[in-house]
Amino acid sequence: MAEHGRATECGGQSARKDLAAMMVPLGRALMAAELPVLEAHGLAMWAYSVLLHLEDEPVRTQSALAQAIGADKTRIIGVLDDLERRGLILRRPDPADRRARLLSLTPEGRHLRDTVQSAIQHRENQLLARLPAADRRGFLNALRALSALPPEEITGGD
Amino acid sequence: MAEHGRATECGGQSARKDLAAMMVPLGRALMAAELPVLEAHGLAMWAYSVLLHLEDEPVRTQSALAQAIGADKTRIIGVLDDLERRGLILRRPDPADRRARLLSLTPEGRHLRDTVQSAIQHRENQLLARLPAADRRGFLNALRALSALPPEEITGGD
DNA sequence: TATTGTTATACTCTATAACTATA
DNA sequence: TATAGTTATAGAGTATAACAATA
């Protein structure tokens, strides 16, 4: 019944738009909403992404960090340079393997990240407040579940 | 209570990740999932986006179409050239204003679009089937509502 | 003069290849 | 030899500027 994408009950219109066609523009708009907040704290999007990911667990190599945030390893080098120079992250050679760099947040970095994230989520909550409570709950549950899936589960044939 | 982004109940972890941090990668994965389907029919993402948008209503100018799908007007010209050459769209000078080009789908274009969209949504439905029914419903409701908002409502300060 | 579509150009972002140092 | 990080280069994608036709 949900097999054909068209003309189910509203006359020549799709039963729903493609998920990507809704999610990608919405994601872009949400990113655009973050930009003024980030700029106010001198952070670019990749820098914020780095700060966010370093919270969960200190990372052992730059390559691993790059992969985790969906960037090329060569692309975050300048970002890390800047964050280190500003005292927001630590980048120390691993004593056990001096090729690798142990990455971690400084207290200043953690504080900045918390400040920025609070501001961002505050705006997001205002947006979510427009939704009926049931939809909001389902939306967040589903979003959490789907975004936790490894990309191959979405890309690949199941 | 949802004011501070951190350390609500799970010890140093955010109550939730930022919406954009979940939506953008998920949107990318959904796009990646579409690519093989599109490629199988010789369509690039922008071309598919054009076909999707021309369904709703024939469009009076290329600029309007470009804006509607979030592209620069110069970027879709090659796309339209190709779609026209393949007989999937019609691009006729507006008799009332011969500067403008009236854009519409041909029957072949509509058929191709239906075929591709069915395949894409079929995959998407398999993904959605993993969710509890309540979450799935709330997710789709919220996604539809949020993506229907004008971008300024999300970007701007409300 | 302003606008539609087009072309040509410049710019930004991203990935590839080549180098250094450790292992 | 293989890997982590870095640098320099090339490529894709995108936007800007200039042009022709029409209003």
Side-chain angles (χ1 to χ4, degrees):
Chain A
M1 186 236 204
E3 207 68 353
H4 44 76
R6 285 279 140 183
T8 315
E9 72 275 58
C10 35
Q13 276 298 97
S14 182
R16 64 168 171 83
K17 291 173 75 174
D18 300 345
L19 292 184
M22 294 190 281
M23 297 217 42
V24 171
L26 181 54
R28 270 200 251 273
L30 288 168
M31 269 185 55
E34 291 187 1
L35 283 183
V37 182
L38 294 177
E39 236 168 71
H41 294 86
L43 289 177
M45 187 60 72
W46 283 119
Y48 181 54
S49 184
V50 165
L51 294 185
L52 281 180
H53 191 80
L54 286 183
E55 173 62 9
D56 303 344
E57 76 253 20
V59 173
R60 220 185 49 77
T61 72
Q62 296 183 182
S63 302
L65 172 63
Q67 187 176 8
I69 66 177
D72 191 275
K73 65 173 177 175
T74 62
R75 291 208 35 236
I76 62 169
I77 292 179
V79 177
L80 297 177
D81 288 346
D82 181 59
L83 290 175
E84 188 184 30
R85 209 178 309 124
R86 291 164 63 186
L88 299 171
I89 66 168
L90 249 48
R91 180 156 61 161
R92 308 199 321 161
D94 182 347
D97 179 348
R98 298 225 306 282
R99 293 173 302 181
R101 304 266 176 277
L102 297 170
L103 301 169
S104 58
L105 284 181
T106 64
E108 291 79 17
R110 183 168 291 107
H111 180 259
L112 176 61
R113 194 206 41 132
D114 286 349
T115 303
V116 172
Q117 189 172 38
S118 290
I120 285 174
Q121 296 209 357
H122 179 72
R123 292 184 83 158
E124 290 179 346
N125 286 336
Q126 290 180 324
L127 188 69
L128 291 173
R130 299 177 170 217
L131 300 172
D135 289 350
R136 178 169 58 244
R137 183 196 314 272
F139 178 65
L140 289 173
N141 283 344
L143 194 53
R144 191 157 27 223
L146 293 177
S147 72
L149 292 175
E152 314 84 61
E153 297 265 328
I154 296 168
T155 302
D158 279 29
Chain B
M1 184 237 206
E3 207 68 354
H4 43 74
R6 287 278 141 182
T8 314
E9 72 275 58
C10 35
Q13 276 298 97
S14 181
R16 63 168 170 84
K17 293 174 74 174
D18 300 344
L19 293 185
M22 294 190 281
M23 297 217 44
V24 172
L26 182 53
R28 270 199 251 274
L30 288 168
M31 268 184 56
E34 291 187 1
L35 282 184
V37 181
L38 294 177
E39 237 169 71
H41 294 86
L43 288 177
M45 189 59 73
W46 284 119
Y48 180 55
S49 186
V50 166
L51 293 185
L52 280 181
H53 191 80
L54 286 183
E55 173 62 9
D56 303 344
E57 77 253 23
V59 173
R60 218 185 49 78
T61 72
Q62 297 182 182
S63 302
L65 173 62
Q67 187 176 9
I69 65 176
D72 191 275
K73 65 173 178 174
T74 63
R75 289 206 37 236
I76 62 168
I77 292 180
V79 176
L80 296 178
D81 288 345
D82 181 58
L83 291 174
E84 188 184 29
R85 209 178 309 124
R86 291 164 63 186
L88 298 171
I89 66 168
L90 248 49
R91 179 156 61 160
R92 307 201 319 162
D94 182 347
D97 180 350
R98 298 224 308 281
R99 293 173 302 183
R101 303 267 176 276
L102 297 170
L103 301 169
S104 57
L105 285 180
T106 64
E108 292 79 17
R110 182 168 290 107
H111 179 259
L112 177 61
R113 195 205 42 128
D114 286 348
T115 303
V116 171
Q117 191 172 37
S118 290
I120 285 174
Q121 296 209 359
H122 179 72
R123 291 184 83 157
E124 290 179 346
N125 286 335
Q126 290 179 324
L127 188 68
L128 291 173
R130 298 177 170 217
L131 300 171
D135 289 350
R136 179 171 56 244
R137 183 195 314 271
F139 179 66
L140 289 173
N141 283 344
L143 194 52
R144 190 157 27 222
L146 293 177
S147 72
L149 292 175
E152 313 84 62
E153 297 266 329
I154 296 168
T155 302
D158 276 31

